[in-house]
Amino acid sequence: MNYCKIFLKPKKEESLLRFHPWVFSGAIQSIEGNPEEGDVVEVYGANQRFLAIGHYQIGSIAVRILSFKQAAIDADFWTNRIRIAYDLRRELGLAGVENNNTYRLIHGEGDNLPGLVIDMYAHTAVMQAHSVGMHYARHNIAEALKTVLGDSLQNIYYKSEATLPYKANLGSEDGYLYGGEVEDIAIENGLKFCVDWQKGQKTGFFVDQRENRSLLEKYAKGHSVLNMFCYTGGFSFYAMRGGAEIVHSVDSSAKAISLTNKNVELNFPGDPRHKAFAEDAFKYLEKMGSNYDLIILDPPAFAKHKNVLRNALQGYRKLNAIAFEKIKPGGILFTFSCSQVVSKENFRLAVFSAAAQSGRSVRILHQLTQPADHPVNIYHPEGEYLKGLVLYVE
Ligand code: SAH
């Protein structure tokens, strides 16, 4: 296969020699051939030295690296990469087991496939492309998924309308690449979830909170729990299984609340401990009393870009300040940020300011992050995005 060639400016090969998987457009000296967006290209440094091969795109990240060795990006390539990722999930005890079939199979750079996310829900793979190259490769990826997962795979839903670069004008439509079931009951750590990948947020479920939900279960016994930003109820069911006395789930999306109620019925039919409210977080927090002694705050990303970082930090401070003010003495707060642009230090500073404002004694019990099926490529620290603190509030 003859791929177009990208030549880098002098000294711009450093990051690739350290296996960082992106080439920025400013690093490019010249291009041989006429690559179209989404094409596979080869990248060369000084003295025509081969560096890597990847997907070309117009924009600030010009190439997303697929391999640092000469390689054909063919059926074997996709099958090998997906097999490596699947074997890791099996090793982690997330795939091929009875009490869990919900996990992230491909986490972009973390699985050496920049621009690709695949989440598994029982027999369904939900595929999300974040780059034009992955969009064009979607059918090859689907074939590779079938080869690796075999009969256990019955549906592949492609959901990239919202994640592909708008300017590329691909006219991509969400839909099935394989199968066509509209819903599946997913199992996470023995709990059942109805996942609506077609209309739900992201790929349908927030797989990344699995271990943090498990930790919450251990703290739940006898507590009055508020699960704020509950989405489809993830944390609530772990709290119920852990023996919480009451569990209130709040989200501004009525659709999310209706799925939460459905999920309660799946796991704890008729259980009077749970109530769900479709309401804005700040409104609910302002008017609620001080009866909760276990509060979860898992808001959506407050900052999607660096230029709104200050506002985002204010948002985290304000939100956490109300929780510190209202949580019962001896209460436990699980607080999160999933904004990639908010660093661990900045998030902790925002929570620290909120704690100081309340004047209460606060101790950090756990520092949380994303689970092992959302691995961080050591050469791509930008892949670390989920931050959480578990706090004891006297
Ligand atoms: N904790 C969830 C994931 C939360 S995602 C889980 O474990 O699955 C963030 C959620 O915040 C979304 O469901 C979104 O609908 C909700 N949300 C966004 N803005 C909100 C607001 N102002 N008030 C309440 N909920 C909000």
Side-chain angles (χ1 to χ4, degrees), residues 262-284:
K262 198 166 165 182
N263 285 331
V264 174
E265 280 311 302
L266 267 178
N267 292 285
F268 305 95
D271 194 321
R273 292 177 299 159
H274 183 265
K275 280 203 182 75
F277 306 94
E279 213 172 319
D280 173 74
F282 284 96
K283 274 198 193 137
Y284 189 93

Side-chain angles (χ1 to χ4, degrees), residues 22 107 109-110 340 370 374-377 380-386:
W22 297 343
H107 185 59
E109 286 80 358
Q340 192 268 333
Q370 63 219 56
H374 294 60
V376 181
N377 180 338
H380 179 258
E382 300 93 321
E384 195 174 343
Y385 69 99
L386 185 62

